[in-house]
Amino acid sequence: MVCQPLVWQLEEQRVFNRNRGLRQLATIASISLVTGCGVLSSDSSGSKSPIVVGTTSSPSTLDPAASWDSSWELFRNVYQTLLNYPDGASQPGPDAAEKCAFTDTTNLTYRCVLRSGLTFSNGDKLDARSVKYSIDRIKRISVSGGPAGLLGSLDRIEVKGDLEVVFHLKEPDATFPFVLATPAMSIVDPADYSATQVRKDGRITGSGPYTLQSYQDGKEARLVGNSRYQGYAKRKNDEVTIRYFQDSSSMVDALKSRKIDLTYRGLAASDIVSLQRHQSNSGIQLLENSGIEISYLVFNPKDPWAGKTAVRKALAQVVDRAAIAHNVYKDTVQPLYSMVPAGLTGHTTGFFDQFGDPSTAKARKILSDAGITQRVPLTLWYTTDRYGSETAPEFQEIKRQLEDSGLFQVTLKSRPWTTYVEGYQKGEYPVFGRGWFPDFPDPDNYIAPFVGQQNALGTPYPAPKITGELLPGSRRQSDRANVVKQFEAAQQILVDDARLLPLWQGKQYVAANEDISGGERALDPSTIMMMWELSRKTSW
């Protein structure tokens, strides 16, 4: 059948902050497909043919206690949390819980009542003790760079009977419900998960919409519907297979040859541009969302060179973000001058305000004022299989820029993600690249995870004014419009320290075969894919 040209309609999707007193935070454009080919119906009862999804982001672990990365993509679909984002909501609502709320006006006590009759996929009972066990073990195991850093405001958990859980906080935190909605807070079966060790047998016991039927590390995860699931999600398919690719080109080739049905992570800029040009006759729909993903460099303060403030600031003065965005990413990303991306409350352009356009002369003066006259030797690390095929060219471009200045001598090194994580958690890298997909769309989540003794980077960054004053002050505010000053001040501290160097802010692209529905609804506010929203169209 020959269809009329595709027409794209923009719909505004509101993204909100993570407080009870929610206010509009940003406008994110989502794209829905309208065709002139008649009406398509979706198989809402679920198709027997599994939907196959491709991504370049394979899990680093299958245990929620050990992951603060995009392993969450898998977790969201096989584990369950007390709260989630029901029916496209932008604020947390009940999932394993029947209801949750603060019980006081100071945001210090948060109470949840579970649904009755919950079980894990193996039939074991899921009750309030399971919830307490799951979250307590995150703090007890305390993996370096793991999700324990999200629980800084939690003091203790109280269980009342089988269904009631009460969270007592050390300090007011109106954002705590959003923490409970992250896949890090997935509920695990105490019988199958050690209280003191990470599970490493390649299996999962959860209570989410799917069960993990089989798993091949770095290759494939097969999900089948969980008949025991009780929650808000309504599956529109019976089975999903996730295939993990090493690069974008092979993933897109698989999409074009219909070996996979949809991709949601790691599309290369060249592939996006190609799909944009040929989507009307390719049989592939490209769904675009303005994104709040960021890319940045991390400096290890223990390294003899990266530990010097002058070296970090000189590097910040040389890096040309616009060249990276245009030459490497074909303008599918935009330059970023703050750790808080554009579109979120309190966003600034601090690095541009302080350093301006790239300047070798200014960078040379920064170094000479610190008594550094030799070329600075630096080793920059990146991961080969996490953030898409442009990562290597991006670091080659950074190396070129730094060395062309005559001020730096750069060595590039790389590893696959699973071993890359181990390296930065052990503090092995002088300078390394990271990407960040938000836990929730709030400026807090672009600062808090990276500071403090225990953070998502495995590299302690005390920042006492941020951790002891600015963040606690902001968390007392239910109205996030009132936290601008705190986050502007926090971002200026990050600029002054130059421990983290923002590079670019991305967009979200989902490419799918034309017979797949639900791609435009499948990303939650944290850009995690809810596989249960996908379905296969059954008629024209």
Side-chain angles (χ1 to χ4, degrees), residues 167-446:
F167 299 91
H168 299 276
L169 307 183
K170 301 174 186 175
E171 55 195 14
D173 188 358
T175 64
F176 188 70
F178 283 76
V179 173
L180 291 180
T182 66
M185 304 300 133
S186 296
I187 306 166
V188 301
D189 187 348
D192 286 349
Y193 290 78
S194 165
T196 58
Q197 294 181 339
V198 173
R199 183 174 181 176
K200 296 182 178 179
D201 64 357
R203 299 181 180 180
I204 284 175
T205 310
S207 58
Y210 299 92
T211 61
L212 183 65
Q213 185 178 61
S214 64
Y215 181 73
Q216 293 178 277
D217 187 24
K219 294 183 178 179
E220 182 179 276
R222 297 186 63 191
L223 313 183
V224 297
N226 177 13
S227 61
R228 299 179 185 272
Y229 170 71
Q230 295 185 60
Y232 81 92
K234 304 207 171 25
R235 284 188 295 103
K236 297 178 174 62
N237 59 69
D238 295 324
E239 184 175 346
V240 173
T241 297
I242 306 173
R243 290 187 181 155
Y244 302 110
F245 291 83
Q246 296 296 312
D247 57 74
S248 173
S249 60
S250 58
M251 183 169 66
V252 172
D253 286 345
L255 179 67
K256 290 178 178 178
S257 62
R258 295 189 174 269
K259 294 178 181 177
I260 63 175
D261 298 301
L262 177 144
T263 69
Y264 71 99
R265 278 279 190 262
L267 281 170
S270 57
D271 290 320
I272 293 169
V273 171
S274 176
L275 289 170
Q276 287 171 333
R277 289 173 178 169
H278 302 105
Q279 59 184 328
S280 62
N281 57 14
S282 67
I284 295 174
Q285 40 180 323
L286 184 67
L287 311 176
E288 177 183 328
N289 291 291
S290 59
I292 46 179
E293 165 198 2
I294 69 171
S295 177
Y296 58 99
L297 295 179
V298 183
F299 296 90
N300 187 342
K302 294 183 179 180
D303 182 77
W305 288 105
K308 297 179 185 295
T309 303
V311 168
R312 301 194 297 268
K313 289 188 173 182
L315 191 150
Q317 184 65 74
V318 170
V319 167
D320 188 340
R321 296 167 177 81
I324 294 171
H326 181 70
N327 298 336
V328 178
Y329 287 93
K330 314 301 180 187
D331 299 316
T332 59
V333 305
Q334 63 188 56
L336 182 63
Y337 298 93
S338 166
M339 290 299 290
V340 176
L344 296 192
T345 297
H347 164 74
T348 69
T349 54
F351 276 90
F352 185 82
D353 298 341
Q354 181 148 329
F355 296 102
D357 291 325
S359 170
T360 296
K362 291 180 180 179
R364 182 177 289 109
K365 186 175 188 307
I366 291 171
L367 292 173
S368 62
D369 286 350
I372 301 171
T373 56
Q374 69 179 96
R375 291 185 66 159
V376 176
L378 283 178
T379 300
L380 274 59
W381 282 82
Y382 63 92
T383 181
T384 57
D385 58 355
R386 193 61 167 185
Y387 304 121
S389 302
E390 273 85 13
T391 304
E394 175 185 4
F395 273 76
Q396 290 162 5
E397 171 67 13
I398 293 172
K399 172 183 168 72
R400 182 195 66 77
Q401 293 177 8
L402 296 179
E403 292 191 336
D404 283 356
S405 73
L407 303 175
F408 296 90
Q409 183 64 49
V410 176
T411 301
L412 295 181
K413 291 187 177 182
S414 62
R415 286 177 179 171
W417 178 251
T418 51
T419 53
Y420 185 74
V421 172
E422 294 173 2
Y424 73 67
Q425 288 178 348
K426 293 177 181 177
E428 294 179 4
Y429 311 147
V431 185
F432 61 96
R434 279 295 310 266
W436 187 252
F437 297 94
D439 305 326
F440 30 74
D442 187 277
D444 184 290
N445 195 234
Y446 288 87

